[in-house]
Amino acid sequence: MANKPKSLTQRATASLKGLSRTKEILPKDSEIARPTPSTPSIPEDIEIATEREFPEAEKVNITKKLPRNVAILHIYENGENQYSVWGGHVDKGLLQTDPEQKPLLSLGLQVKNLVPPDIIKDFMNEFSRLNVKLRNWIKGLRSQFGEHLCLVIADYTDFEIPWEMLELSPQQSSHEYIGALITTVRWRKVISVVDDDYLVLKFKADECCGKTVAYVLDTELEGSKSELESLKKLQGTIYQSSEDNNSIDKFHTHLQSDDADHSFVYISCHGTFKNSPEEMALGSASNEQQQLKLQALRKRPLNLVQKSQGIVFINACHSAREQVHPIIRHSYRMGFIQLFLEQGARGVIGTLGAVGDIYAAEFACELIKESSQSSPLPVAELLKNLRLKAVKNLGDKPTEEQLLSLIYRFMYVYYGSPMTVLRLTLPGE
């Protein structure tokens, strides 16, 4: 057994350099063919989008006037290391469920602990099977609204349950993951730096059109060449670590400029996840001089993000994970998703754990390609289609590589309006 070669999961997570864009320090006792375009999830010109008042939505900082095809899955702590859920909808709600113990399903921790991808998949299958009321509620809504259904996931726990991987019919039909069949977005409490009040998630069709600015740690990330090729086609401003040792600081300075015409902010680097928000960072895995700490980003206004209100994609490990401040202990969790939403981003894409470099680059290139082809689909629906592509690739006897690709794709989550379209125009268009 000692000479047994490492599994694909081990090879993908064992090295910080080249194979995984992450650096994670946790306590020792931590718990362990292109999709066919469809119509947008929330069209404005059909009856199901008619707004109706749903006052309970205000409890999760979502507008109380909701389109009928929008439902809210609300998850909250209900006792020590326990959670409950309730489902909000203008017609068909889900009553609060009984408290359940915290499941050890964090994708970030499971990948860190080298849990094989087939076992992760099995865990989610069993978790799904046991959540009968929740599954039936979602299936009922999907039966009524079909492809137009949108689910807002408002998770106010720190349990890191990957809700997008919940299966609708785990015993009858395999691979019916809600994140691949239903347009899902996440939402959380966000204190706006502009209004000094909680932001309210609203539902209106809008587009992010404009320039691109990016930072790419191409000296440490395998697969960054393909990312750079995709970004250079957009002729945006790209800061590369191979061209300047101070590139990440110059990128930070660029974000502080008063430009108001940027639709896309892209960050490709390692992510450092620790127990304190003050130590969270983006950048090099080995050189702290080439890192952007979360606290440093918080101290200066990111005027470009505030004025442009575009989409931010943080293609770095753990970029969607959050922490409660260890001293203040307020329930308001901190992280990079929270930071960019506070600064005015219309939507933010991040990851729930460590993603292999090659897989991360592939995902980014596909998203950029889809957003550059005049797609009418919102960002949230593009992510749904990219997850569905990985599901379809599984086949009857999936390989370990296909399973790992599936897990990685479900690590990408989107916070923001489900109706926002990212329009990445190529020069000359």
Side-chain angles (χ1 to χ4, degrees):
M1 294 295 289
N3 295 323
K4 183 178 179 180
K6 291 183 178 179
S7 69
L8 184 63
T9 308
Q10 291 172 312
R11 295 199 303 271
T13 58
S15 172
L16 294 177
K17 186 174 182 181
L19 290 179
S20 180
R21 46 188 73 191
T22 177
K23 183 179 181 183
E24 178 177 28
I25 300 177
L26 291 168
K28 292 182 180 180
D29 59 348
S30 291
E31 294 166 315
I32 328 211
R34 177 179 169 194
T36 302
S38 59
T39 54
S41 287
I42 309 180
E44 292 188 302
D45 57 349
I46 60 177
E47 184 179 355
I48 64 170
T50 301
E51 291 184 344
R52 298 179 63 179
E53 190 162 298
F54 176 49
E56 290 86 349
E58 290 183 306
K59 296 178 182 178
V60 289
N61 301 102
I62 298 174
T63 179
K64 66 180 180 180
K65 289 188 176 182
L66 289 177
R68 291 187 62 237
N69 56 316
V70 173
I72 305 170
L73 173 60
H74 180 53
I75 307 103
Y76 59 98
E77 291 192 49
N78 190 0
E80 185 176 356
N81 278 329
Q82 293 183 321
Y83 76 97
S84 291
V85 305
W86 63 265
H89 186 259
V90 293
D91 295 325
K92 299 179 179 179
L94 171 67
L95 295 178
Q96 174 183 325
T97 63
D98 294 331
E100 295 290 350
Q101 293 296 315
K102 171 185 177 180
L104 307 182
L105 294 174
S106 165
L107 294 181
L109 290 178
Q110 289 190 82
V111 169
K112 172 183 178 288
N113 292 331
L114 304 180
V115 178
D118 58 328
I119 301 301
I120 295 176
K121 181 177 176 299
D122 289 345
F123 287 160
M124 283 306 303
N125 180 272
E126 181 64 14
F127 176 75
S128 302
R129 188 180 70 85
L130 297 173
N131 279 273
V132 179
K133 292 183 179 180
L134 175 57
R135 288 191 290 105
N136 286 338
W137 175 66
I138 297 175
K139 284 196 287 187
L141 291 170
R142 187 166 180 254
S143 176
Q144 180 176 356
F145 298 107
E147 65 177 6
H148 301 299
L149 177 63
C150 174
L151 182 66
V152 180
I153 301 171
D155 189 341
Y156 289 96
T157 74
D158 61 357
F159 297 171
E160 298 188 324
I161 301 171
W163 294 104
E164 289 82 358
M165 285 194 74
L166 186 80
E167 295 185 53
L168 290 179
S169 303
Q171 292 175 296
Q172 290 81 28
S173 178
S174 62
H175 308 155
E176 286 191 353
Y177 302 104
I178 63 171
L181 297 176
I182 299 169
T183 298
T184 59
V185 302
R186 293 196 174 208
W187 191 240
R188 49 150 294 156
K189 289 183 178 180
V190 180
I191 304 174
S192 169
V193 299
V194 178
D195 301 325
D196 194 27
D197 199 357
Y198 287 114
L199 290 177
V200 175
L201 178 64
K202 299 180 180 180
F203 299 85
K204 63 177 182 178
D206 60 1
E207 292 186 350
C208 293
C209 304
K211 299 178 182 177
T212 295
V213 59
Y215 170 74
V216 180
L217 186 72
D218 57 333
T219 51
E220 297 183 22
L221 298 181
E222 189 177 350
S224 58
K225 181 179 179 180
S226 60
E227 291 173 278
L228 288 169
E229 289 175 353
S230 295
L231 291 167
K232 287 177 179 178
K233 290 178 182 178
L234 304 176
Q235 293 191 6
T237 304
I238 305 173
Y239 295 90
Q240 298 174 228
S241 59
S242 61
E243 295 183 350
D244 190 337
N245 290 333
N246 297 319
S247 57
I248 197 165
D249 291 326
K250 292 181 178 179
F251 170 73
H252 187 195
T253 300
H254 193 132
L255 295 184
Q256 298 169 51
S257 66
D258 289 328
D259 292 339
D261 55 357
H262 285 68
S263 63
F264 190 43
V265 176
Y266 181 70
I267 306 171
S268 177
C269 60
H270 290 295
T272 301
F273 184 70
K274 297 186 179 182
N275 286 315
S276 171
E278 296 178 347
E279 297 180 282
M280 292 183 184
L282 298 172
S284 171
S286 56
N287 186 349
E288 288 195 15
Q289 299 304 313
Q290 295 182 29
Q291 292 181 353
L292 281 179
K293 294 286 182 68
L294 176 63
Q295 290 299 88
L297 285 167
R298 288 168 55 86
K299 289 180 178 178
R300 296 182 182 180
L302 305 181
N303 296 321
L304 180 147
V305 179
Q306 291 181 25
K307 296 178 183 296
S308 297
Q309 296 185 333
I311 299 296
V312 177
F313 183 1
I314 317 169
N315 202 4
C317 294
H318 314 295
S319 55
R321 299 178 75 181
E322 301 172 317
Q323 291 279 12
V324 171
H325 196 286
I327 303 301
I328 300 172
R329 302 303 300 167
H330 193 279
S331 61
Y332 190 80
R333 301 192 308 279
M334 300 168 66
F336 292 104
I337 293 284
Q338 159 257 334
L339 168 80
F340 283 105
L341 288 175
E342 284 185 347
Q343 292 287 331
R346 217 168 298 184
V348 185
I349 303 169
T351 67
L352 297 173
V355 180
D357 288 356
I358 298 298
Y359 297 90
E362 178 185 66
F363 184 88
C365 290
E366 289 186 39
L367 180 65
I368 291 172
K369 180 181 178 181
E370 294 294 331
S371 300
S372 303
Q373 296 182 337
S374 300
S375 171
L377 302 182
V379 176
E381 193 159 356
L382 290 180
L383 263 65
K384 179 194 73 174
N385 288 345
L386 291 178
R387 297 187 194 111
L388 181 60
K389 182 177 179 180
V391 173
K392 288 182 175 180
N393 285 340
L394 288 178
D396 295 331
K397 295 181 179 180
T399 65
E400 191 173 23
E401 184 174 359
Q402 289 170 332
L403 288 168
L404 190 58
S405 178
L406 176 81
I407 302 301
Y408 283 151
R409 294 228 164 179
F410 275 88
M411 281 192 182
Y412 286 93
V413 294
Y414 171 76
Y415 284 75
S417 170
M419 301 180 69
T420 298
V421 176
L422 175 61
R423 191 78 71 192
L424 296 176
T425 54
L426 300 175
E429 292 185 349

